[in-house]
Amino acid sequence: MTELLLKYFRNKQQEVEKEKTYDTQCPFCSMQCKMQLIEQSIVSRKRYMTVGKENPTSEGRLCMKGANAHQHAFHRERLKYPLLKVNGEFVRISWEEALNHIKEKFTRIQAEDGHDAMAVYGSASLTNEEAYLLGKFARVALKTRYIDYNGRFCMSAAASAANQTFGMDRGFTNSLSEVPFARCVILAGTNIAECQPTIMPYFEKAKENGAFIIAIDPRETATTKLADLHLQIRPGTDAVLANGLLKVIIQEGYLDHGFIEERVNGFEAVKDYVHSLRLDQIAEQTGVSIEQIRTAARKFGKEKSGMIFTARGVEQQIDGSVAVCNFLNILLVTGKIGKLNCGYGAITGQGNGQGAREHGQKADQLPGCRSIENEEHREFMARVWGIPVEELPGKGVSAYEMMEKIYEGEITGMLLMCSNPIVSNPNAVFVQEALKKLKFFVAVDLFVSETARLADLILPSSSYLEDTGTMTNVEGRVLLREASFPCPGEVKHDWEIICDIARALGKGKYFSYASPEEIFNELRMASRGGIADYFGITYDRLKKECGLLWPCPDESSNGTNRLFETSFAHPDGKAVMAVVPNELAASKEKANEEYPLYLTTGRVVSHYLTGVQTRKSPALAARNIESFLEIHPSTAKAYGIGDEKLVKIESRRGSIVVRSKWSETIRPDTVFVPFHWADSQNVNLLVAKELDPICKMPGYKLSAVKVSPLF
């Protein structure tokens, strides 16, 4: 396809006066596909085309989002200058004026309300260098404990589960190259065909090679169509289903006894618990038949190799962390981890969802996946940063909990980088009310997003075409995103903005960087000896080797393609199994007479996250110009809802209006709405504030709702 497009594009060479090629990387999902932007100058205008570039992960493939990513970068509404809100309207000001405002306001807030009155809200779209720098900025320049990021809503459940079970968190325990050779694959709560399209060929090759694929999803999707067995689960019962699979595997003896004895703690407690469960009750609770549960368990148990992949369908629950733990229990009892073609993958949603959580944006984490509550780790980072350890703040709170502290008046100022929390957070009306209470709010973004509208000051940041840096993809492979396209107007890179603000606050000596590579070299030192050890990774190596999987402790290391071959990361070298009671799922919000349907949310192939970028791309926006309600025809008829009609959806928190879309492939008790739209179509207006007690993930994938025709 790429060759055909290039041929078509270059057939008109007689018109072309000049052609340039820019190496870059897709700004969207965690595959981080390498690509090239081709710019052709034709008389008085320019035209652009994006094509894939060979690399170890996506192998030169691009999806429609990557192929059209340049459209938002060149959009007429792109921010090019600092904007200050004056009498309710944004007016252009200089960078000097902007930095003076920040210095005055941030200094006053901290003098009046304390260091922790300032908060920093980051993003998994930032490069590793910028994520690292933002964490350092919060703790060294502002001396605040309050920093978290939007990746909290993406990967926190999988990360906490991997840490609890394995002792460390890397998205994939294996490289993608092993997937085609696994004999059984479980895809739990993931729609990779729409969310990460360029990963699909790995699973298609597995199927061609004879793998048995099991998909777990309340909807039929392009992904479930690949499966040999689709378990069309009731939303919110994933952990219960995993207990059913465990019960059959253990009862029928599909166990690797040697592996369990030598490398696993906690098996007996899990065995005793699942022995007490009844399959008929599990079937009733999950909506999956006993026959299907047995088939799935037997297929996975019997095969010599197998892999389990989870994504937001499992993880974005208020028991998401333990639900993932229960799927990891399945890997451990069957011994399918740390071996060829056996392992686990958390299919990261955001572009740098992996790297952004490793190096300091999380409330409880220091670079290299170090703990901010561990004294040795604190002392190490204080030495790297050149500050007294007693000045290093302690643990903060999660992203949504920061909104609660803003509402309560404990946080009165915020720096927001490249995120849109009034669309992405649960209980969205409350979040908007909270942000309006801030004394001073600075947003850094490409566009005036729905959240940036509320800011007092907006700073223009560079796009993926302009901003060089490293990203860590879905595998845990560190990649160098090269970027040489010039910034428009007075746009600055995020790392430059952070350094400028730090200098304005009198902390310039800690932020005197001249390039992203210089920042990365400090990051290497900061991660050295940590779980996420990047020390052996350099820009030169990344250019030559097209990426390295961490940990990579020194420059003689080739990285780590497969984790846990000889031991896990807990001090005793063993993995930890945990009992996951079915009662946890039973405690979630229930459908009832007033709110009789289960709402679940997710993506569509043409859009990304809150849609700020993809809704600026004409080619992508045209495919889905508005949100929709996917509903079974029998359910729609029961509530008087026609196809393609406006529908009001109500939960206990609020209401939205979207257009109906009949589908016979969704459960009759379940409806689906994508989350890429804002304002009256913002589905997170319906989502509750309750959080997973371990990882603080909201329960996006389960809300009780009612539906009615608007007219």
Side-chain angles (χ1 to χ4, degrees):
M1 179 62 75
T2 295
E3 290 178 1
L4 289 173
L5 287 170
L6 279 171
K7 184 177 179 181
Y8 172 80
F9 194 62
R10 286 172 171 155
N11 268 344
K12 301 181 179 181
Q13 284 293 337
Q14 67 274 12
E15 302 174 311
V16 176
E17 297 175 344
K18 189 177 181 182
E19 181 174 291
K20 289 184 179 179
T21 299
Y22 299 89
D23 287 330
T24 185
Q25 205 162 290
C26 183
F28 298 128
C29 86
S30 57
M31 287 296 283
Q32 282 301 288
C33 302
K34 292 282 187 182
M35 57 194 196
Q36 292 180 320
L37 177 73
I38 300 169
E39 176 189 80
Q40 290 186 340
S41 299
I42 308 167
V43 191
S44 60
R45 65 186 180 89
K46 293 181 179 180
R47 67 184 182 194
Y48 297 93
M49 179 182 181
T50 300
V51 297
K53 183 180 177 183
E54 187 61 34
N55 66 93
T57 302
S58 60
E59 300 174 328
R61 294 184 290 272
L62 281 185
C63 76
M64 67 174 69
K65 287 192 286 290
N68 292 287
H70 60 274
Q71 293 180 348
H72 80 258
F74 300 141
H75 196 275
R76 65 184 180 278
E77 293 179 15
R78 175 88 184 270
L79 291 170
K80 295 174 183 168
Y81 312 98
L83 298 175
L84 180 69
K85 188 175 285 180
V86 179
N87 297 323
E89 300 291 331
F90 285 112
V91 297
R92 176 179 170 180
I93 61 172
S94 69
W95 274 100
E96 182 180 3
E97 291 173 305
L99 292 169
N100 284 336
H101 274 283
I102 291 171
K103 177 184 177 180
E104 177 192 347
K105 299 291 187 178
F106 283 15
T107 302
R108 182 183 300 171
I109 284 169
Q110 291 194 308
E112 293 174 351
D113 304 331
H115 283 115
D116 291 337
M118 282 300 307
V120 176
Y121 194 116
S123 168
S125 295
L126 299 178
T127 64
N128 289 321
E129 293 81 355
E130 291 158 347
Y132 166 78
L133 210 58
L134 193 62
K136 181 180 178 181
F137 172 82
R139 294 169 176 122
V140 175
L142 292 178
K143 297 183 180 179
T144 180
R145 70 176 60 235
Y146 291 129
I147 177 170
D148 210 61
Y149 76 127
N150 61 15
R152 174 71 63 176
F153 305 139
C154 177
M155 295 307 301
S156 61
S160 61
N163 280 317
Q164 179 179 336
T165 304
F166 302 142
M168 67 176 288
D169 155 43
R170 189 181 83 181
F172 278 27
T173 61
N174 310 57
S175 74
L176 275 167
S177 62
E178 295 186 32
V179 172
F181 307 102
R183 296 298 304 158
C184 187
V185 174
I186 295 177
L187 296 169
T190 177
N191 184 12
I192 51 177
E194 295 198 61
C195 300
Q196 292 87 10
T198 60
I199 204 174
M200 276 293 282
Y202 288 101
F203 296 92
E204 292 165 345
K205 288 175 185 174
K207 179 143 181 141
E208 289 171 10
N209 290 338
F212 190 87
I213 297 179
I214 301 163
I216 303 170
D217 198 308
R219 306 165 61 221
E220 183 180 300
T221 66
T223 304
T224 65
K225 289 176 182 178
L226 180 69
D228 298 281
L229 177 63
H230 176 196
L231 306 181
Q232 201 160 5
I233 192 171
R234 181 173 290 116
T237 61
D238 303 270
V240 179
L241 177 61
N243 273 330
L245 299 175
L246 277 167
K247 181 177 179 67
V248 174
I249 287 169
I250 293 172
Q251 277 190 342
E252 299 190 5
Y254 303 115
L255 304 175
D256 187 330
H257 293 284
F259 185 90
I260 293 168
E261 184 175 346
E262 294 173 14
R263 303 193 58 189
V264 177
N265 291 321
F267 170 71
E268 291 298 327
V270 172
K271 182 182 76 171
D272 291 345
Y273 176 70
V274 298
H275 180 72
S276 71
L277 302 176
R278 289 172 44 186
L279 277 184
D280 61 333
Q281 292 177 340
I282 290 173
E284 174 65 25
Q285 195 170 349
T286 62
V288 179
S289 70
I290 293 176
E291 180 183 356
Q292 286 185 316
I293 293 171
R294 289 192 188 280
T295 299
R298 287 167 179 165
K299 287 289 186 181
F300 194 82
K302 285 178 180 178
E303 292 292 353
K304 291 183 179 180
S305 64
M307 291 181 162
I308 296 178
F309 297 87
T310 66
R312 307 304 83 73
V314 174
E315 299 159 17
Q316 286 183 330
Q317 310 270 0
I318 58 171
D319 66 346
S321 182
V322 294
V324 176
C325 283
N326 225 13
F327 281 98
L328 300 184
N329 284 341
I330 295 170
L331 287 174
L332 293 174
V333 299
T334 58
K336 293 183 172 69
I337 185 78
K339 301 175 183 177
L340 182 66
N341 310 328
C342 296
Y344 168 64
I347 300 180
T348 315
Q350 297 190 70
N352 201 26
Q354 179 71 54
R357 70 180 183 266
E358 294 167 356
H359 299 300
Q361 285 193 104
K362 280 183 68 180
D364 60 349
Q365 203 156 278
L366 293 169
C369 288
R370 289 183 166 89
S371 170
I372 202 164
E373 297 182 292
N374 181 298
E375 280 306 316
E376 288 185 13
H377 295 179
R378 290 172 60 82
E379 289 170 4
F380 176 87
M381 283 313 308
R383 287 194 300 273
V384 172
W385 287 342
I387 62 171
V389 69
E390 57 269 18
E391 290 187 7
L392 186 61
K395 178 182 176 180
V397 297
S398 71
Y400 181 77
E401 290 171 314
M402 285 204 300
M403 299 299 161
E404 293 179 323
K405 289 191 175 294
I406 293 170
Y407 191 85
E408 293 160 4
E410 186 174 339
I411 294 172
T412 56
M414 176 175 277
L415 173 65
L416 171 74
M417 293 203 82
C418 308
S419 191
N420 193 13
I422 68 167
V423 181
S424 62
N425 272 249
N427 199 19
V429 170
F430 170 83
V431 172
Q432 184 167 346
E433 291 172 356
L435 291 175
K436 288 178 179 178
K437 290 174 174 278
L438 288 168
K439 291 181 179 179
F440 192 60
F441 177 22
V442 180
V444 181
D445 214 323
L446 297 173
F447 299 100
V448 182
S449 70
E450 289 78 13
T451 304
R453 291 177 200 159
L454 304 179
D456 299 291
L457 176 65
I458 307 176
L459 303 178
S461 63
S462 56
S463 77
Y464 75 102
L465 288 173
E466 304 133 14
D467 189 22
T468 294
T470 60
M471 308 284 277
T472 306
N473 76 3
V474 66
E475 298 174 283
R477 188 184 301 275
V478 184
L479 303 165
L480 177 61
R481 183 181 74 191
E482 299 180 82
S484 57
F485 204 88
C487 289
E490 295 178 9
V491 165
K492 293 192 177 189
H493 303 307
D494 295 315
W495 66 268
E496 291 178 313
I497 294 170
I498 295 168
C499 291
D500 284 351
I501 296 174
R503 281 191 287 272
L505 297 174
K507 299 292 183 178
K509 71 176 183 177
Y510 301 106
F511 296 86
S512 56
Y513 308 100
S515 68
E517 185 172 9
E518 195 174 329
I519 301 167
F520 186 74
N521 284 333
E522 183 176 299
L523 181 158
R524 292 171 59 219
M525 294 297 299
S527 73
R528 189 176 191 180
I531 289 173
D533 191 337
Y534 282 29
F535 183 69
I537 303 173
T538 66
Y539 269 38
D540 284 343
R541 291 193 70 186
L542 294 178
K543 289 174 184 176
K544 293 173 184 175
E545 301 176 48
C546 295
L548 290 160
L549 282 91
W550 69 262
C552 185
D554 56 64
E555 290 188 47
S556 66
S557 169
N558 293 320
T560 308
N561 284 358
R562 187 184 306 124
L563 299 174
F564 314 132
E565 291 185 287
T566 57
S567 68
F568 292 96
H570 287 299
D572 65 357
K574 291 189 174 185
V576 177
M577 292 183 66
V579 173
V580 180
N582 284 353
E583 289 75 18
L584 292 174
S587 67
K588 296 179 181 179
E589 185 169 79
K590 292 286 188 301
N592 60 18
E593 188 173 341
E594 184 177 4
Y595 299 98
L597 299 173
Y598 291 107
L599 166 70
T600 192
T601 69
R603 294 186 186 182
V604 295
V605 69
S606 60
H607 285 292
Y608 178 70
L609 299 184
T610 64
V612 172
Q613 295 172 68
T614 51
R615 285 186 273 124
K616 298 291 192 299
S617 167
L620 298 175
R623 294 181 65 93
N624 293 96
I625 61 171
E626 62 182 357
S627 188
F628 60 86
L629 170 76
E630 186 176 295
I631 185 170
H632 196 280
S634 64
T635 309
K637 291 173 184 176
Y639 294 101
I641 296 169
D643 192 16
E644 298 187 358
K645 302 298 181 183
L646 291 178
V647 181
K648 185 177 184 181
I649 313 171
E650 298 174 80
S651 76
R652 294 173 176 87
R653 274 71 56 185
S655 65
I656 62 172
V657 175
V658 296
R659 197 171 300 279
S660 63
K661 181 180 177 181
W662 285 15
S663 171
E664 294 185 351
T665 60
I666 192 169
R667 289 177 58 94
D669 62 356
T670 301
V671 293
F672 168 85
V673 177
F675 53 61
H676 310 294
W677 285 270
D679 302 323
S680 63
Q681 298 183 78
N682 180 3
V683 69
N684 288 332
L685 292 168
L686 309 179
V687 176
K689 67 178 182 179
E690 282 72 28
L691 306 174
D692 182 308
I694 298 170
C695 66
K696 307 303 181 182
M697 173 74 82
Y700 294 107
K701 292 298 185 279
L702 178 65
S703 302
V705 298
K706 59 183 175 182
V707 297
S708 59
L710 187 62
F711 303 112

